[in-house]
Amino acid sequence: MAKVYLGLGTNLGEKEQNLRDAVQKIEEQIGKVISLSAFYVTAPWGFASENSFLNAAACVETELSPLEVLQETQMIERELGRTQKSVNGIYSDRLIDIDLLLYEDLVLSVTSPSGAELTLPHPLMAERDFVMKPLAEIAPDILHPVSGKTMKGILDAL
């Protein structure tokens, strides 16, 4: 079993329910959620919106490979009503967003057969306090596989 850390976010609809629905589907399709952070209200990042976000982080034990986890998270996003992904740094409001942050201590960059790109660890995670606050809550002492810093240390530096 591998431990994968996921970042969750939503800024449309019933936000708390969106996160709860995502966590339930993650349990059903990816693996056992062994820890879940509190839900954090955050401002939009990278675009202007009147809708605040609700963000969380989860640790999941899975038998799936990183690319299989990516496929499942994208399927869950579609099942929960997400119709488009952010492209080329153009962000928009969304019902649900599920990002792979860490998969064990893997460092990799691959393209899936469907054309989706997966980079681990998530390349922007250390720049985003809306990712690092919930992640540091559930995994303060986990080391970033590239920087070697703890999640709490990365958050404290933001």
Side-chain angles (χ1 to χ4, degrees):
M1 295 290 257
K3 282 187 181 172
V4 60
Y5 289 88
L6 303 175
L8 311 172
T10 175
N11 77 328
L12 294 175
E14 295 293 325
K15 297 177 216 178
E16 189 168 326
Q17 191 60 51
N18 292 348
L19 292 183
R20 294 197 186 290
D21 291 346
V23 169
Q24 180 181 342
K25 287 188 173 289
I26 288 165
E27 280 260 339
E28 294 167 0
Q29 295 169 227
I30 297 173
K32 181 170 179 49
V33 175
I34 58 172
S35 57
L36 177 66
S37 73
F39 295 171
Y40 291 81
V41 177
T42 62
W45 186 94
F47 72 105
S49 174
E50 294 178 6
N51 304 309
S52 63
F53 273 81
L54 201 58
N55 291 97
C59 179
V60 183
E61 283 185 336
T62 187
E63 293 181 5
L64 302 179
S65 72
L67 279 176
E68 289 169 331
V69 173
L70 177 65
Q71 282 181 297
E72 290 298 325
T73 59
Q74 290 183 333
M75 189 182 317
I76 291 167
E77 288 176 343
R78 287 190 300 274
E79 289 170 4
L80 294 178
R82 184 157 186 193
T83 56
Q84 63 185 25
K85 293 291 285 179
S86 303
V87 179
N88 296 326
I90 309 294
Y91 301 103
S92 61
D93 293 324
R94 65 212 66 159
L95 281 165
I96 192 68
D97 187 29
I98 306 171
D99 287 333
L100 272 77
L101 304 175
L102 299 163
Y103 185 106
E104 295 288 328
D105 57 0
L106 276 181
V107 177
L108 75 109
S109 185
V110 294
T111 303
S112 74
S114 69
E117 292 183 25
L118 175 61
T119 302
L120 290 169
H122 190 290
L124 298 174
M125 64 184 273
E127 299 172 23
R128 298 172 166 175
D129 72 343
F130 67 87
V131 170
M132 296 310 303
K133 276 183 185 167
L135 186 57
E137 177 193 325
I138 64 170
D141 300 323
I142 296 290
L143 296 178
H144 188 284
V146 175
S147 72
K149 296 178 181 172
T150 64
M151 296 303 119
K152 184 176 181 333
I154 292 170
L155 174 62
D156 289 347
L158 280 176

